[in-house]
Amino acid sequence: MKTIISELESVLKQSFQACGYDESLAKVTLSNRPDLCEYQCNGAMTGAKLYHKAPFMIAEDVVGKAKENPVFSMIEVVKPGFINMNVAPDYLADYLNRMAKEPSYGVDQIGEGHTIIIDYGGPNVAKPLHIGHLRPAIIGESIKRIRKFCGYNTIGDVHLGDWGYQMGLIIESLKETHPDLFELESLDEAGITVSVLEEVYPAASKRAKTDTEFAAKAHEATRLLQLKDPAYYGVWRKIIEISVADLIRNYEKLNVHFDLWNGESDAQDFIPDMVEEMKEKGFAYVSNGALVVDVKEETDKKEIPPCLIVKSDGAYLYATTDLATLVQRRREYDPEEVIYVVDKRQEMHFTQVFRCARKTGIVSDDTGLVFVGFGTMNGKDGKPFKTRDGGVMRLEKLIADTQDSIYEKLKDDAFSEDEKRQISEKVALSAIKYGDLSNQASKDYIFDIERFCEFEGNTGPYILYTMVRIKSILRKNGMIDHLDKNDLMISAYHSDSEKELQLKITSFSENMLQACRENAPHKVCQYIYEVSNALNAFYHSNNILKESDPKVKESYLALIILTYKVLEQGIELLGFEAPERM
């Protein structure tokens, strides 16, 4: 199904062609002056240069042809040559009725046949998820859902930090406290849980800075692990198993799910051949004892250092692992695009990796490598968000605190204790996710949980409250089962508020496709907020429950049902859901 703008463009293209002008001039946009018109076309301004003719004259020619089309209730020329348009009420209603019956509500499946991988999450094993893991998880999850909704074959990869010196530190520390470590069938036998592992690493890391003997043992443990010594590799596997199980549990609380639970370790086997090929083809060379690849380009306005592949001591780096991961992804999935959702402060690193991958042929020239860098989540003081005692808050605690905050707002005695808790979980998740995702990913923002939990304003709870209101109206009319049907028809609008809601719903496709193309969940947030505002304005201006005209009432109900479905799809793309009541 075409977007409504595409349909209007098709009509105007015919008019431009009929008047002897190029159809590419018939570009339609939403009006930047909604007080004057709903849509506009500025093609005559461009055409003036092509045809050496006054834009007003071109626009008059086109409007003279187009005004006969029943799609428009108004189409006129405004000097110096703008074409202003309003769509006919019957056409608008027809478009909405067609949209209601379309899969994905008419959104074009632009990604059909295309495979993409989204790299997001990036936690280290044997460490708890903290508030710093929030942004990559929920931004990446939303981008994945949006891309999938638009037809892409999407693969989400958590990309675990599960290799290297940190693992050597943990294993060596566990050996001291558990001499029978290598003989254990499972770590549970020795009471080694996730909580224990979370304490082991920071203590071992601190100790290694002053205890040279312990540090040397940890380095040896790392070496043996990387050689896949059966004993060390076996313990490492057990650590991974209990860590990943805990990570899955915590990510599920955020409604975040990964298709692949690969880590840095999965790319290690690809590194030796990759490095050899770089050397054989002359891309990599030795500089100050290290192996590097030049990635600077003539157009660079700032210095881009070489990509460091192997350190002078023979150790690999993050760039090495990221490049080897691309080798693995190409062999196993051959994606047309790989999207990285990471801290924007890593932009230089990924610039080097992307250029190195292209230069050395690790990826083809037409493979998209996309860096979605996110900004910092700050407290009300404008500094990176911390707990009251200055520490880094665990993600579990953030979620629990937000649920408690919502629970306190649910004073209605009509809710049972269990229902209050269930509602709190859903509304809290909407507060956290919408509070983050409503900001452009690349920008820093203030994490204000009190404001995010408000039931009014541009918040997740406000969106959910709007949806609950729609369901309440349907229940009171005995029409709740019509949410799963398409048997009610929307008719031409009867009021300005109804018209505004209808127009807002018709722009669903444009907004979802824009969010997809730009990897921009905040576009979805902005759209569903505007839809919610339009729905509530319509609700307050029209007595839906007491409408006496059966045809008008049916149209009202059909419109709010479609509104609910659009909002429901929007919040699904953001990764949360609505309760039945609030």
Side-chain angles (χ1 to χ4, degrees), residues 5-77:
I5 283 180
S6 295
E7 290 195 2
L8 297 180
E9 284 181 348
S10 294
V11 172
L12 278 191
K13 281 179 180 179
Q14 295 173 15
S15 299
F16 270 92
Q17 281 185 324
C19 295
Y21 304 121
D22 194 299
E23 68 171 25
S24 65
L25 298 174
K27 183 173 176 56
V28 176
T29 62
L30 284 172
S31 172
N32 56 19
R33 286 290 305 276
D35 55 318
L36 298 179
C37 62
E38 296 158 5
Y39 301 93
Q40 65 187 65
C41 173
N42 303 335
M45 307 297 287
T46 304
K49 297 178 182 178
L50 295 173
Y51 297 100
H52 306 290
K53 193 173 182 179
F56 187 81
M57 295 174 66
I58 295 174
E60 277 198 320
D61 290 343
V62 172
V63 168
K65 291 286 184 183
K67 66 182 180 181
E68 301 169 4
N69 196 297
V71 163
F72 302 110
S73 64
M74 182 278 287
I75 180 166
E76 64 180 11
V77 182

Side-chain angles (χ1 to χ4, degrees), residues 253-273:
K253 290 180 180 179
L254 282 174
N255 199 16
V256 169
H257 309 279
F258 299 94
D259 303 290
L260 301 176
W261 282 84
N262 289 344
E264 295 170 346
S265 60
D266 292 281
Q268 298 305 304
D269 290 345
F270 295 91
I271 291 177
D273 288 346

Side-chain angles (χ1 to χ4, degrees), residues 133-255:
H133 294 108
L134 179 67
R135 299 214 75 191
I138 64 177
I139 294 170
E141 179 72 14
S142 184
I143 290 173
K144 182 182 74 173
R145 289 169 180 240
I146 293 168
R147 287 296 195 104
K148 186 174 184 179
F149 181 63
C150 293
Y152 288 88
N153 174 33
T154 59
I155 302 169
D157 187 356
V158 68
H159 196 69
L160 296 168
D162 65 349
W163 203 243
Y165 183 49
Q166 64 165 346
M167 302 310 302
L169 286 168
I170 293 170
I171 293 173
E172 191 58 36
S173 187
L174 290 175
K175 273 176 59 183
E176 290 186 352
T177 54
H178 300 80
D180 60 344
L181 182 66
F182 294 142
E183 283 74 49
L184 294 174
E185 288 293 325
S186 73
L187 298 186
D188 288 340
E189 292 180 37
I192 301 173
T193 62
V194 169
S195 298
V196 171
L197 292 176
E198 289 172 358
E199 294 176 358
V200 167
Y201 173 71
S205 180
K206 183 178 179 180
R207 177 183 170 188
K209 292 176 182 177
T210 56
D211 187 337
T212 55
E213 184 180 351
F214 175 72
K217 289 180 179 179
H219 278 294
E220 176 61 12
T222 304
R223 188 184 72 83
L224 291 169
L225 172 61
Q226 292 179 341
L227 290 173
K228 294 191 176 179
D229 175 273
Y232 285 83
Y233 193 76
V235 170
W236 173 81
R237 285 299 323 160
K238 294 181 178 70
I239 293 172
I240 297 300
E241 286 171 10
I242 61 174
S243 293
V244 167
D246 185 68
L247 287 170
I248 290 173
R249 180 179 64 83
N250 279 284
Y251 275 124
E252 282 182 344
K253 290 180 180 179
L254 282 174
N255 199 16

Side-chain angles (χ1 to χ4, degrees), residues 403 406-407 410 415-430 455 464 577 579-582:
Q403 289 175 356
I406 295 295
Y407 179 84
L410 301 175
F415 299 130
S416 67
E417 184 66 20
D418 285 345
E419 191 174 10
K420 278 187 181 181
R421 288 297 175 192
Q422 290 172 6
I423 293 171
S424 297
E425 288 179 10
K426 291 183 177 181
V427 179
L429 190 58
S430 80
F455 283 43
L464 299 191
E577 59 185 32
E580 288 296 313
R581 301 194 298 164
M582 278 175 70

Side-chain angles (χ1 to χ4, degrees), residues 437-497:
L437 293 171
S438 58
N439 299 277
Q440 188 172 329
S442 62
K443 294 182 177 179
D444 300 346
Y445 79 102
I446 302 297
F447 188 85
D448 184 350
I449 199 60
E450 292 176 6
R451 181 174 69 81
F452 295 168
C453 288
E454 291 295 331
F455 283 43
E456 296 179 355
N458 191 7
T459 67
Y462 170 70
I463 307 298
L464 299 191
Y465 186 77
T466 301
M467 297 175 68
V468 168
R469 166 172 277 169
I470 294 172
K471 277 197 167 181
S472 176
I473 295 169
L474 294 173
R475 285 194 191 94
K476 289 176 181 177
N477 275 272
M479 304 289 283
I480 192 68
D481 60 325
H482 286 266
L483 269 175
D484 300 321
K485 302 176 182 178
N486 277 318
D487 58 341
L488 303 180
M489 297 295 289
I490 298 170
S491 58
Y493 56 79
H494 308 86
S495 66
D496 287 343
S497 62

